[in-house]
Amino acid sequence: MGEYGVISDQRVAVIWDSSSPVEALKDLVDKLQTLVGPGNRVAVENINQLSQSAHKESSFDVILSGVVPGSTAQHSAEVLAEIARILKPGGRVLLKETVVTESGNNSRMKTADQLPTALTLSGLVEVKELQKEALTPEEAQSVRDHLGYQGNDLLLVQIEGKKPNFEVGSSSQLKLSFAKKPGPSGKPSVDPATAKLWTLSANDMNDEEMDLLDSDELLDSEDLKKPDPSSLRAPSCKEMGKKKACKNCTCGLAEELEQEKKNSQPKSACGNCYLGDAFRCASCPYLGMPAFKPGEKILLKENQLHDA
């Protein structure tokens, strides 16, 4: 089993799919168990049930997927993410997958370029292609039977990746010190080279290569003009085409609308409108309405408003 890089005492997971021949799967598992030694060190999982297998994080040193001869396993993003989760930090995954030579053929299968990208996006590092070869007639027929793909542009790619040497979501405290070390005088020391960069001496002023800018030259005639106060005033609600004053109106529209509202209220000619119909004129706009208190706001319907 040197081709898979499995050594003694490692925990190994073998992922298979429905296309994997049973005898070939059993033969692979027996060889792995002999290699890693006694104990429950080899786990066998179906690719469609991997997420339900309830393995703990960082459970396996090596994960082999799709390596059973005759397998047509396709690794979705969810499967690759689960593989990365149950792999130990620094652990290795080796998988084989049938790919198409180019995209745009209405196939769910990846291209040879998309497969390494999928492993990288799942969180694996040091992803590299180990082998790429054409399918045998038997393998091509297995793809047609299990994946329903009828094209001939198929390749079998063997690829590996590793999990970073840390767990996903882990954190570590950084030891940073921003305190300046005091000098002989007790004050924070300053690097002489740094101080020189920020020091302008009299000799520097006399340097012929030193060009000094006059700050007044940075302003043109337009910058020196006093702005027109009207240009600094915010446009009023009316200028902006609003018919209703803002909540915190400061342009005077609210007062203007309030005054118009007061002027639109009908005025009493006799001053007795509030006493009731017995005291009202024949042309009183409040005729037919109940008595009300002086100063009380009364809303009249439009058909009640008419000239006296």
Side-chain angles (χ1 to χ4, degrees):
M1 301 301 291
E3 59 180 310
Y4 298 136
V6 179
I7 60 176
S8 178
D9 296 330
Q10 285 186 327
R11 290 207 66 204
V12 183
V14 179
I15 301 175
W16 60 281
D17 69 318
S18 58
S19 65
S20 304
V22 177
E23 291 300 324
L25 175 62
K26 185 177 182 301
D27 182 59
L28 174 62
V29 172
D30 289 343
K31 290 180 180 179
L32 289 172
Q33 288 177 336
T34 302
L35 186 61
V36 299
N40 188 22
R41 297 182 178 274
V42 179
V44 182
E45 297 291 347
N46 183 278
I47 193 169
N48 296 321
Q49 303 296 325
L50 183 62
S51 58
Q52 284 80 38
S53 59
H55 289 295
K56 295 182 179 180
E57 293 182 356
S58 306
S59 298
F60 299 99
D61 300 286
V62 180
I63 296 179
L64 306 176
S65 181
V67 300
V68 179
S71 173
T72 61
Q74 296 290 301
H75 301 84
S76 65
E78 291 76 14
V79 169
L80 292 175
E82 182 64 13
I83 288 176
R85 187 187 70 83
I86 63 178
L87 195 63
K88 291 182 179 180
R92 191 168 58 91
V93 56
L94 179 69
L95 61 84
K96 288 184 178 182
E97 184 170 325
T98 303
V99 300
V100 293
T101 55
E102 60 182 24
S103 59
N105 48 23
N106 297 323
S107 172
R108 295 177 300 171
M109 293 187 289
K110 308 177 189 69
T111 64
D113 294 331
Q114 291 171 341
L115 184 56
T117 302
L119 268 71
T120 302
L121 292 176
S122 68
L124 300 175
V125 297
E126 298 183 32
V127 177
K128 57 182 178 181
E129 184 181 293
L130 302 179
Q131 189 176 4
K132 183 192 298 181
E133 59 185 4
L135 273 66
T136 64
E138 292 78 10
E139 291 171 335
Q141 185 59 46
S142 179
V143 171
R144 297 188 190 97
D145 294 340
H146 293 90
L147 301 181
Y149 184 72
Q150 302 301 320
N152 296 317
D153 55 334
L154 299 174
L155 293 173
L156 184 61
V157 175
Q158 181 172 320
I159 192 170
E160 75 169 357
K162 293 183 179 179
K163 186 172 182 176
N165 289 319
F166 55 83
E167 190 56 75
V168 176
S170 60
S171 61
S172 177
Q173 183 177 1
L174 298 177
K175 297 181 180 180
L176 301 176
S177 177
F178 296 99
K180 295 182 179 179
K181 297 180 180 179
S185 62
K187 297 181 179 180
S189 60
V190 180
D191 184 6
T194 304
K196 185 178 180 181
L197 290 175
W198 294 97
T199 302
L200 189 64
S201 66
N203 293 331
D204 293 327
M205 300 294 290
N206 296 327
D207 191 348
E208 295 180 356
E209 297 181 358
M210 176 67 68
D211 293 331
L212 297 179
L213 294 177
D214 185 353
S215 58
D216 292 336
E217 294 180 357
L218 300 177
L219 301 175
D220 55 26
S221 58
E222 292 296 327
D223 296 324
L224 299 176
K225 288 182 179 180
K226 185 177 180 180
D228 183 1
S230 62
S231 65
L232 302 178
R233 182 179 62 84
S236 65
C237 301
K238 184 178 292 186
E239 290 172 343
M240 296 179 65
K242 294 184 178 180
K243 296 182 179 180
K244 184 178 180 181
C246 303
K247 182 178 181 181
N248 299 317
C249 180
T250 58
C251 68
L253 181 60
E255 291 81 358
E256 184 180 339
L257 294 177
E258 183 65 24
Q259 187 62 37
E260 291 179 358
K261 188 175 181 181
K262 290 181 179 178
N263 295 337
S264 64
Q265 292 289 337
K267 296 181 179 179
S268 174
C270 61
N272 297 325
C273 300
Y274 70 94
L275 296 175
D277 283 351
F279 301 89
R280 292 170 182 163
C281 320
S283 60
C284 182
Y286 296 100
L287 196 64
M289 298 182 66
F292 55 88
K293 295 179 180 180
E296 185 179 357
K297 185 177 180 180
I298 303 298
L299 297 179
L300 300 176
K301 297 181 181 180
E302 291 185 4
N303 57 7
Q304 291 180 294
L305 295 176
H306 53 81
D307 295 333

